[in-house]
Amino acid sequence: MAGGSEKCFTLIGLSLICLKMVASAKPAPEIPTIDQAYSKISNSITVEWATVPGATSYLLTAEDGDTVIETVVADSPGTVTGLKAATVYQITIRSISAAGRSQASPPTQAKTVLAAPILEVSSPSPSSILVQWEAVYMATGFSVSIMQANGLGRIWKENTTNTSLTFTSLEAGTLYTIKAYAWNANGIPGDDSICNQRTSPRAPGNIRVSFDSGALKASFSWAPAEGAFNYTVMAFSDSSELSCSTTFSSCTISSLQCGTEYVISVLASNDAGSSKSSSAVTLKTVACAPGRVTIQEDPPGHLSVAWSNVDLGDYYVAFVKSDDGLEVHCNTSLTQCNFLSECGFTYFISVFAYNKAGQSPLGDVFNYTTAPCCPSDISPVLVSSHRVEIVWSPVRGAELYETKAVDGYNVVECNDTAPACTLSALECDTKYNITVYSFSEVRGSNTSCTSRFITTAPCSPEINVSKDASSMVRVHWRSPNADATYTATAQGQRGMYQCSSRGESCSLGALPCGSLFSVTAVAETQAGRSLPSYSVPLETVPCCPAALTVTQITQSVINMSWTIGTVTQTYLTVLESHTGQAKCHTHQNHCLLGCITCGINYTVALKAISATGLTADCAHQSYSSSVCCPLGVKLYRLGPNGIRIHWQASRGSANYSTDLYGSKGIFTCAPSAGFSFCDVIEIPCGDVYTVVVSPVAETGQKLTFCPKKIYSVTCSGSTLGMVIYRGKRNPE
């Protein structure tokens, strides 16, 4: 199968060749003749020849012994490319037409020129450019030229056998075009190498610095540098390095440190590199806020503020502001200031350092609260024996008040937020040293507060009451008070009675009878009044009746009567003579006493007795009982119309009065002094008469209790009748 295939292919090939030979019956074109071959570019050779009639194109061939390179061109001249630099080539040419190719022309030698040097350019300074290259094969020298890329200015050209060259005195920040080529031993130049290089910019000048002390940042500006694309500002300190970059002619560096000295430099840069640093500028920032601030108040009222020294601080200002808004300050180059302070204020203290850059940042704000003020107007509003109430005006800064009362041994305390205190459980008539301390949670107690002495009111006395023979009431007391005046008071429904004394007793005098009193006593000193003593009840004797009346009821019975006395419960009456005594005890206002002997002088006494047994001797007076009623009363007829009444007189002298009561009238007669009879003339007969002979008292009053006798007076004839005794009637 394989052999068959190869045969087939052979037949086909022969057929083609035959066809071609038949078709190319026209003659081939003429062989061209090379006029010259030369190289202007290291990778090509240009060939010139005379035109061949009928040729449509030409085949150029270059051989160096290793490689064959062919190129079809349309016309002369033609160039073979892709060659090696500085290499000798055999150049031939064939003309091509529709009839085919011609034979190769006689060869011509041509050598490619040197390769262009590969340049490395840089700008080591704003006024120079360094050109460097590697050695070029077959080169014996180099030519380098430079000019501004914009075509302005002169052209510098230098020949050298070295592989580097520096151009100086150039314009800073300017774009230059560099051209370089190598030449061989025959002086034939090689390819050109062209590149652009910008000189580095000069350092910016006229640097200006603006420092913002509040934000701790600085703004920098400068005159623009020619050819600079970017600028970098560097701020160096001993401890840090800060920078900012910009394409403009100003920039700002933030986050600067206080109390730091920075060295500022500005670099300009472009694609060639950076300039040298500008002339250094020094920037001193504001000083840092002073630290280790200490505040002392010694003595009270003087505030001392001290702080540590800070770098770059020229002077210091300390501000002290009180919580009422008032602010003072102190300017000093030292590290301490003194201020006047007041009690009860909170002061807010800040310290700043200053230099030419300005004020330091705000540091810590310290507050110092002074001790609260002391109450100065302590006033006792109530001083009693065991209690003292004091008040005072509120003072600044006090959150609590501590009150202490000291009597030398004992301490009584009172704590309150109100500007008042009640000290209780004190000893009476005792001098206390009382101090009110103000207290705040921040500063504690102000121990410099002054005290004042307050003496409690005197102790209450212990009393007892006595009465002397004259019913004078005297109040006695016992009390430990020194230099006190005592006042005893008897208080009752019928009024109040008092007496005073600096001794141990006083007399209330004669109090109203029939009264109940409550007796108390108080002691009084300059410190005040004591509480009243325990009361002692006092009852005065009952009041005596205003009037005592003795009335003879019968010859042996008298009636004693009187008005009712105050608080009297019972009365005792006594009737006494040499013959004996009669008594009556009653709760009424009268009493009957019997067994009275007529015609006797008696002594009458009346006593009023209260429910508690107090007795008042009310009345002592004399009383004479009435004259005894006469005995043996008889009637005798005197003529036709007269009657004599006769009696037997009682002991003692007395006057008598005789009364006859009949249906025809009342008839009266009175005897002459010393006689025991009297006569009634012109009395009608034939009637029954009641006859009474009564003693007449010195007042002229007739006694009515003597016995009455009844007589009948008859008529006998016309001249004389009989007197007949009918009996005796009750005196009543």
Side-chain angles (χ1 to χ4, degrees), residues 259-295:
T260 304
E261 183 174 351
Y262 289 93
V263 176
I264 308 299
S265 62
V266 182
L267 300 178
S269 63
N270 56 20
D271 50 1
S274 298
S275 69
K276 292 182 178 180
S277 299
S278 62
S279 298
V281 176
T282 299
L283 169 63
K284 291 183 179 180
T285 62
V286 293
C288 294
R292 296 198 299 274
V293 177
T294 59
I295 305 165

Side-chain angles (χ1 to χ4, degrees), residues 158-217:
E158 298 287 341
N159 294 325
T160 182
T161 59
N162 297 323
T163 57
S164 66
L165 186 65
T166 300
F167 291 95
T168 61
S169 301
L170 303 180
E171 295 292 333
T174 302
L175 182 64
Y176 284 88
T177 299
I178 298 97
K179 179 180 179 182
Y181 60 89
W183 70 80
N184 59 18
N186 298 323
I188 297 174
D191 287 347
D192 292 332
S193 180
I194 299 174
C195 67
N196 290 330
Q197 175 64 45
R198 193 182 304 274
T199 52
S200 60
R202 295 187 185 278
N206 193 22
I207 299 173
R208 293 181 296 275
V209 181
S210 176
F211 179 67
D212 185 345
S213 61
L216 277 178
K217 65 180 181 180

Side-chain angles (χ1 to χ4, degrees), residues 12-71:
I12 294 172
L14 289 173
S15 298
L16 291 172
I17 292 172
C18 291
L19 289 173
K20 187 175 182 181
M21 290 176 65
V22 172
S24 59
K26 292 181 179 181
E30 295 180 1
I31 299 172
T33 301
I34 297 175
D35 292 334
Q36 62 175 345
Y38 55 89
S39 175
K40 290 185 177 181
I41 300 176
S42 61
N43 67 345
S44 68
I45 293 176
T46 300
V47 182
E48 295 181 4
W49 65 92
T51 303
V52 174
T56 57
S57 60
Y58 301 90
L59 176 64
L60 297 178
T61 303
E63 297 181 24
D64 64 352
D66 295 325
T67 60
V68 176
I69 297 175
E70 293 181 341
T71 301

Side-chain angles (χ1 to χ4, degrees), residues 4-165:
S5 299
E6 291 178 358
K7 291 177 180 179
C8 180
F9 290 135
T10 301
L11 291 173
I12 294 172
L14 289 173
S15 298
L16 291 172
I17 292 172
C18 291
L19 289 173
K20 187 175 182 181
M21 290 176 65
V22 172
S24 59
K26 292 181 179 181
E30 295 180 1
I31 299 172
T33 301
I34 297 175
D35 292 334
Q36 62 175 345
Y38 55 89
S39 175
K40 290 185 177 181
I41 300 176
S42 61
N43 67 345
S44 68
I45 293 176
T46 300
V47 182
E48 295 181 4
W49 65 92
T51 303
V52 174
T56 57
S57 60
Y58 301 90
L59 176 64
L60 297 178
T61 303
E63 297 181 24
D64 64 352
D66 295 325
T67 60
V68 176
I69 297 175
E70 293 181 341
T71 301
V72 177
V73 298
D75 203 355
S76 176
T79 301
V80 181
T81 61
L83 308 181
K84 293 183 287 187
T87 302
V88 176
Y89 284 90
Q90 294 290 333
I91 305 298
T92 60
I93 185 171
R94 288 182 175 89
S95 59
I96 301 173
S97 67
R101 293 182 182 179
S102 71
Q103 295 294 320
S105 69
T108 299
Q109 282 191 345
K111 188 176 183 179
T112 55
V113 297
L114 302 180
I118 300 175
L119 301 180
E120 292 183 5
V121 293
S122 63
S123 178
S125 72
S127 61
S128 65
I129 290 178
L130 172 62
V131 183
Q132 294 177 302
W133 59 91
E134 294 181 0
V136 177
Y137 176 67
M138 297 296 290
T140 59
F142 301 92
S143 179
V144 182
S145 63
I146 188 170
M147 65 177 295
Q148 292 186 19
N150 58 11
L152 300 177
R154 58 172 289 190
I155 299 175
W156 286 270
K157 185 175 182 180
E158 298 287 341
N159 294 325
T160 182
T161 59
N162 297 323
T163 57
S164 66
L165 186 65

Side-chain angles (χ1 to χ4, degrees), residues 550-568:
V550 182
T551 305
Q552 190 93 31
I553 302 302
T554 66
Q555 188 170 281
S556 63
V557 177
I558 64 172
N559 180 51
M560 297 181 65
S561 62
W562 53 86
T563 57
I564 296 296
T566 306
V567 304
T568 303

Side-chain angles (χ1 to χ4, degrees), residues 146-491:
I146 188 170
M147 65 177 295
Q148 292 186 19
N150 58 11
L152 300 177
R154 58 172 289 190
I155 299 175
W156 286 270
K157 185 175 182 180
E158 298 287 341
N159 294 325
T160 182
T161 59
N162 297 323
T163 57
S164 66
L165 186 65
T166 300
F167 291 95
T168 61
S169 301
L170 303 180
E171 295 292 333
T174 302
L175 182 64
Y176 284 88
T177 299
I178 298 97
K179 179 180 179 182
Y181 60 89
W183 70 80
N184 59 18
N186 298 323
I188 297 174
D191 287 347
D192 292 332
S193 180
I194 299 174
C195 67
N196 290 330
Q197 175 64 45
R198 193 182 304 274
T199 52
S200 60
R202 295 187 185 278
N206 193 22
I207 299 173
R208 293 181 296 275
V209 181
S210 176
F211 179 67
D212 185 345
S213 61
L216 277 178
K217 65 180 181 180
S219 297
F220 306 92
S221 63
W222 51 87
E226 182 67 32
F229 296 167
N230 295 284
Y231 299 92
T232 301
V233 180
M234 306 293 294
F236 297 94
S237 70
D238 293 338
S239 59
S240 65
E241 177 180 334
L242 301 173
S243 65
C244 66
S245 296
T246 181
T247 58
F248 301 103
S249 59
S250 65
C251 73
T252 299
I253 295 180
S254 303
S255 303
L256 297 176
Q257 296 178 349
C258 59
T260 304
E261 183 174 351
Y262 289 93
V263 176
I264 308 299
S265 62
V266 182
L267 300 178
S269 63
N270 56 20
D271 50 1
S274 298
S275 69
K276 292 182 178 180
S277 299
S278 62
S279 298
V281 176
T282 299
L283 169 63
K284 291 183 179 180
T285 62
V286 293
C288 294
R292 296 198 299 274
V293 177
T294 59
I295 305 165
Q296 292 182 335
E297 187 184 15
D298 187 20
H302 295 80
L303 210 60
S304 175
V305 182
W307 55 88
S308 61
N309 202 2
V310 295
D311 294 336
L312 303 184
D314 295 338
Y315 64 95
Y316 304 92
V317 178
F319 293 89
V320 176
K321 185 175 183 179
S322 59
D323 51 12
D324 65 351
L326 181 64
E327 183 177 69
V328 294
H329 69 275
C330 156
N331 189 327
T332 179
S333 59
L334 305 177
T335 58
Q336 181 175 340
C337 275
N338 296 313
F339 299 90
L340 294 177
S341 61
E342 295 184 38
C343 58
F345 275 111
T346 295
Y347 292 94
F348 300 93
I349 299 163
S350 54
V351 182
F352 295 90
Y354 288 83
N355 58 21
K356 292 181 180 179
Q359 174 184 288
S360 68
L362 175 64
D364 293 333
V365 178
F366 299 87
N367 62 70
Y368 183 88
T369 302
T370 55
C373 298
C374 290
S376 59
D377 56 347
I378 301 172
S379 301
V381 296
L382 177 99
V383 177
S384 67
S385 300
H386 302 285
R387 184 165 58 99
V388 171
E389 293 182 18
I390 56 176
V391 296
W392 55 89
S393 299
V395 295
R396 223 177 23 243
E399 300 171 358
L400 182 73
Y401 299 96
E402 299 175 332
T403 305
K404 291 186 178 181
V406 182
D407 66 352
Y409 303 100
N410 302 312
V411 178
V412 179
E413 295 186 5
C414 162
N415 297 336
D416 205 330
T417 56
C421 176
T422 299
L423 295 165
S424 55
L426 303 179
E427 296 294 330
C428 57
D429 196 42
T430 302
K431 188 176 184 179
Y432 283 91
N433 186 2
I434 297 179
T435 309
V436 179
Y437 301 97
S438 52
F439 176 88
S440 69
E441 186 176 356
V442 174
R443 196 56 55 197
S445 292
N446 188 342
T447 57
S448 63
C449 299
T450 58
S451 59
R452 65 167 297 174
F453 288 96
I454 296 178
T455 302
T456 54
C459 303
S460 298
E462 297 179 5
I463 66 170
N464 59 71
V465 179
S466 65
K467 289 186 288 186
D468 57 17
S470 59
S471 296
M472 296 294 287
V473 176
R474 194 161 193 85
V475 183
H476 305 264
W477 50 80
R478 289 184 304 167
S479 177
N481 300 317
D483 195 25
T485 299
Y486 297 88
T487 300
T489 302
Q491 180 75 47

